Amino acid sequence: MTMAPQRPTRVYLAVPAHRSRLVAKAATSAADAVFMDLEDAVPPSEKGAALEEAAGALSSLDWGNKVVAVRLNAVDSPFIAQEIGTLAALPRLDSVIVPKAERASDIAAIADQLRAAAPDRPSPVALELLIETALALVNVDALAAAHDSVAALHLGVGDFAASIGARSSEIGASPDGYRHVGSAQSGYASAPLDLFAYPMMRLLVAARAFGLRAIDGPCGAFRDGKLTESSALKAAAMGFDGKQVIHPDQIEPTLRAFVPSDTELAHARRVVAAMEHAEAQGQGAVTLDGKMIDYANVRMARRIIEMGS
């Protein structure tokens, strides 16, 4: 069984741990979840200060009902042992996010280290794994099953794009250089490209197979509200539980994308009600609005209703 918090993680706000003012704002934000970053957002000279700030914030700030996590440094870094020793016993720490997760043995070792560092903790710290390399995606099933404390899989869109050699320098965006191939002079139309369709679906399938949450990576264009929302709508429509955001301006459009509309909720409730009526009549299927629905439709509808609660 996983240890995933039952609280929602629709909007997962990233904040550099050494920026105490931003951390304090994140604690009072409308995000469902926050992770304080000790890795990519922190320069090497600030690693020690970032760890102290993260520990202080976990101990002193009011985080409300948020899921609170810390992104550790990589498993082979010189910092991770001290990070585990400092953070593991802090009660307000729900999860640690493990970057560059690639091998199940590394994940099991980190889980054991966390438990050894806080043997009296009533609820062990959950692990959330960043899938951000080609090797990680190949091993995603083994990573998902690496330990009973693994609670979520996150897609690391920037590093994943670099890992596979994609011609893009924008976080969470498909490269657009291919459009020049289909120029007006050539007479060929441009071909659509969605760099993340496969890794998103592969991660999502692994997460669902092992009962984990699935969190999409961020949209780097944080000042573009429409692009932020459309990126979140894609993840929500696919079935992801949430999405990372890198700026407070992205919280509201991302949350909106993950909350079903009144129209969606009303239709989902009609589907459930129609099937309940059909079942009372001894039927296993019924027509609604000119379409046949059965128990599979009910399961999908109940997922929508759950998302809206």
Side-chain angles (χ1 to χ4, degrees):
M1 296 295 291
T2 72
M3 300 166 45
Q6 296 306 304
R7 289 162 285 167
T9 52
R10 298 163 297 190
V11 181
Y12 222 127
L13 175 62
V15 60
H18 66 304
R19 303 287 298 278
S20 57
R21 182 178 62 85
L22 299 183
V23 171
K25 285 188 174 182
T28 61
S29 73
D32 298 313
V34 172
F35 75 83
M36 291 177 279
D37 191 12
L38 301 177
E39 194 214 13
D40 282 351
V42 179
S45 62
E46 297 291 332
K47 296 290 187 183
L51 178 56
E52 290 183 13
E53 291 286 350
L58 285 164
S59 301
S60 64
L61 295 180
D62 181 0
W63 294 94
N65 197 41
K66 288 179 172 57
V67 173
V68 185
V70 173
R71 179 162 72 171
L72 305 175
N73 279 283
V75 296
D76 59 352
S77 78
F79 308 107
I80 188 169
Q82 184 180 0
E83 292 166 358
I84 290 173
T86 300
L87 301 172
L90 298 177
R92 196 56 186 86
L93 180 68
D94 294 308
S95 309
V96 294
I97 297 179
V98 182
K100 313 296 190 298
E102 292 184 327
R103 294 176 176 83
S105 58
D106 291 334
I107 304 310
I110 291 173
D112 290 342
Q113 291 163 26
L114 283 163
R115 291 186 177 182
D120 297 326
R121 186 184 173 105
S123 177
V125 177
L127 296 178
E128 306 194 20
L129 311 183
L130 259 170
I131 306 302
E132 47 188 341
T133 67
L135 181 59
L137 197 63
V138 168
N139 291 339
V140 68
D141 294 337
L143 289 166
H147 197 272
D148 62 5
S149 61
V150 176
L153 303 176
H154 294 237
L155 182 60
V157 289
D159 280 300
F160 182 81
S163 171
I164 63 173
R167 293 170 61 180
S168 178
S169 58
E170 294 184 38
I171 298 295
S174 294
D176 59 6
Y178 69 92
R179 292 173 184 161
H180 302 300
V181 175
S183 63
Q185 289 81 5
S186 71
Y188 291 97
S190 296
L193 173 63
D194 187 344
L195 177 64
F196 299 107
Y198 170 69
M200 286 179 71
M201 185 58 73
R202 185 68 190 86
L203 181 150
L204 180 61
V205 169
R208 292 294 174 258
F210 293 95
L212 312 181
R213 288 176 291 121
I215 308 297
D216 189 27
C219 171
F222 64 87
R223 298 198 186 281
D224 188 329
K226 289 185 177 179
L227 185 58
T228 290
E229 187 168 5
S230 66
S231 178
L233 282 167
K234 172 187 173 183
M238 287 180 70
F240 276 72
D241 298 286
K243 187 173 178 68
Q244 292 182 9
V245 300
I246 58 174
H247 193 278
D249 287 350
Q250 294 181 301
I251 294 174
E252 198 251 331
T254 301
L255 182 59
R256 187 165 59 240
F258 276 91
V259 176
S261 67
D262 291 343
T263 301
E264 288 177 282
L265 287 170
H267 178 72
R269 292 184 181 115
R270 289 181 64 228
V271 168
V272 173
M275 273 303 299
E276 288 175 348
H277 179 75
E279 191 175 46
Q281 304 299 314
Q283 299 174 355
V286 67
T287 299
L288 181 67
D289 299 334
K291 298 178 180 178
M292 185 67 71
I293 61 172
D294 60 15
Y295 289 110
N297 299 87
V298 171
R299 288 188 285 272
M300 292 187 289
R302 284 181 172 151
R303 163 71 174 167
I304 292 171
I305 294 168
E306 179 185 342
M307 289 173 64
S309 61

